[in-house]
Amino acid sequence: MKQYLEKLINQENLTTEEIQGLMTSCINGGVSESEIASFLTALRVKGETPEEIAGMVEVIRSHSTFNGTRITNVMDNCGTGGDQSNSFNISTTAAFVIAGAGIPVAKHGNRSISSKTGSADVLEHLGVSLSFAKEHVEEMLTENNIAFLFAPHVHAGLKPFSKVRKDLGLPTVFNLIGPLTNPVQLDTQLLGVYRRDMLPMLAEALKKLGRRRALVVNGAGYMDEASLAGENHLVLLEEGNVTSFTLHPEEVGLPVVPNEKIQGGSAADNAEITQQVLRGIPGPYLDTVLLNAGLGLYANGAAGTIRESVELARESIQSGAALERLENLVSYSRKLIGEVVS
């Protein structure tokens, strides 16, 4: 560990083999909490490379018992967090809209780390289980187009990092790699990031991880979601090529709304917002989800343009398909709880 820390402190990048060896030692318990904290801090100060990101992700995924779950054309739309916007759970709500449009979504998420309410917090409040087994995930992806993978449950080997991250209370490399560590082999992905300068690097990391197609977004106001507040910055990975562009909500028929209008609150507050959106209640929350679900569908290649993808998202909500995906996931969770009790 000492030699790795010295390299990072000296602003030297770690090789893929070095970062993989370091991560393996951390997961296997051969590194102290103080060393892990030093590693995470030094790496953040130096700045991560695509090779370091991909190397860490590959080790984390290889240690998950859920690794190898495979459903054709599956995607995720998880954001990095860390933008301090206190927005409602945008990507979690959008995931049901994407699933309602017919695209399987392996929704990977956690409890709150640097925000008020994480995806796991709001889904748990809605009645979704946080302890699906691998076979449950496969069944839900096949029958319902969406399943939830609670990060601590599917990545038990990352426990050595959990307390350190909580104690630090600051965004670390895990805020960047969390959405990449989904143990399901993703074909496509929408990735929101709170740092605009990280867009090209994360697109290159996604390329190294084998994504067929992906979209990385930093929203107006530096949100880790697409925002209605103004110009959004995006990078598209398609057929191995990386292209940068910007998108204003008015370009896809959506209004301009300040980020303050989409703030959330407790798990109960955000659960209510999610249900309102999936019921099609008009307002900034709905429009924000339409934009982000549209980008998710575009990232998947479900439609040729973002405007067309936004309309697919609108149809998913208006038809009731998006809400049905949530209701089915809750019903399935209750069924599993009943089986355990009996």
Side-chain angles (χ1 to χ4, degrees):
M1 172 61 80
K2 183 179 179 181
Q3 62 178 328
Y4 298 145
L5 289 177
E6 287 180 345
K7 287 190 69 172
L8 294 174
I9 291 170
N10 291 327
Q11 297 292 297
E12 297 178 36
N13 299 327
L14 299 182
T15 66
T16 299
E17 292 73 20
E18 287 173 333
I19 199 77
Q20 288 179 334
L22 190 155
M23 284 299 297
T24 300
S25 295
C26 290
I27 290 174
N28 291 339
V31 179
S32 68
E33 287 185 357
S34 61
E35 288 175 320
I36 291 175
S38 298
F39 160 55
L40 295 179
T41 303
L43 185 61
R44 183 186 182 194
V45 171
K46 177 190 74 69
E48 304 83 354
T49 66
E51 291 76 17
E52 289 168 338
I53 292 289
M56 292 181 72
V57 168
E58 287 170 351
V59 171
I60 292 169
R61 294 187 68 253
S62 70
H63 281 78
S64 173
T65 57
F66 284 65
N67 190 27
T69 303
R70 176 74 182 184
I71 305 294
T72 303
N73 197 33
V74 68
M75 72 171 296
D76 193 5
N77 69 328
C78 186
T80 61
D83 63 10
Q84 306 300 316
S85 68
N86 294 322
S87 61
F88 74 104
N89 297 90
I90 297 170
S91 63
T92 303
T93 309
F96 292 103
V97 181
I98 296 169
I103 306 302
V105 181
K107 189 72 182 79
H108 186 237
N110 206 338
R111 294 194 184 278
S112 171
I113 299 293
S114 57
S115 61
K116 283 187 177 181
T117 305
S119 57
D121 300 310
V122 71
L123 289 175
E124 184 179 49
H125 189 86
L126 287 164
V128 175
S129 173
L130 304 185
S131 57
F132 287 132
K134 183 176 179 179
E135 60 268 24
H136 302 146
V137 169
E138 293 173 336
E139 185 175 357
M140 277 286 88
L141 285 174
T142 301
E143 297 183 2
N144 194 45
N145 279 341
I146 188 168
F148 183 63
L149 294 94
F150 182 41
H153 179 62
V154 302
H155 296 301
L158 292 182
K159 287 181 180 179
F161 291 95
S162 299
K163 184 178 184 300
V164 173
R165 292 183 65 201
K166 196 73 174 179
D167 290 344
L168 284 174
L170 296 170
T172 69
V173 65
F174 275 88
N175 287 94
L176 296 175
I177 69 174
L180 305 181
T181 60
N182 194 320
V184 176
Q185 183 58 48
L186 304 177
D187 293 297
T188 59
Q189 187 162 4
L190 172 65
L191 170 59
V193 58
Y194 66 100
R195 286 177 55 184
R196 192 164 296 169
D197 61 310
M198 302 296 282
L199 290 171
M201 189 277 289
L202 286 174
E204 289 295 333
L206 287 166
K207 179 179 177 179
K208 291 182 179 297
L209 291 169
R211 300 293 188 269
R212 172 175 60 82
R213 182 178 164 104
L215 194 61
V216 190
V217 58
N218 174 260
Y222 294 91
M223 288 187 65
D224 73 326
E225 314 274 2
S227 166
L228 299 173
E231 192 172 68
N232 298 277
H233 292 250
L234 303 100
V235 172
L236 175 67
L237 169 66
E238 183 177 29
E239 297 181 355
N241 299 314
V242 174
T243 306
S244 299
F245 65 101
T246 60
L247 178 73
H248 193 279
E250 291 179 335
E251 295 178 50
V252 292
L254 293 171
V256 177
V257 178
N259 289 336
E260 292 75 18
K261 295 291 186 181
I262 58 167
Q263 289 191 349
S266 66
D269 295 330
N270 289 6
E272 178 61 27
I273 292 170
T274 291
Q275 290 175 315
Q276 288 178 1
V277 169
L278 297 183
R279 292 189 183 110
I281 296 176
Y285 296 128
L286 173 62
D287 291 333
T288 299
V289 169
L290 287 174
L291 177 59
N292 283 274
L295 288 174
L297 290 166
Y298 181 71
N300 179 264
T305 69
I306 296 175
R307 181 180 281 269
E308 291 173 341
S309 298
V310 168
E311 292 311 306
L312 285 179
R314 193 186 304 276
E315 181 180 346
S316 173
I317 293 173
Q318 291 179 343
S319 68
L323 180 60
E324 186 178 17
R325 302 284 79 74
L326 170 60
E327 292 174 341
N328 288 348
L329 197 58
V330 171
S331 296
Y332 189 79
S333 298
R334 288 173 178 165
K335 175 186 174 184
L336 290 179
I337 293 172
E339 290 176 353
V340 170
V341 172
S342 61

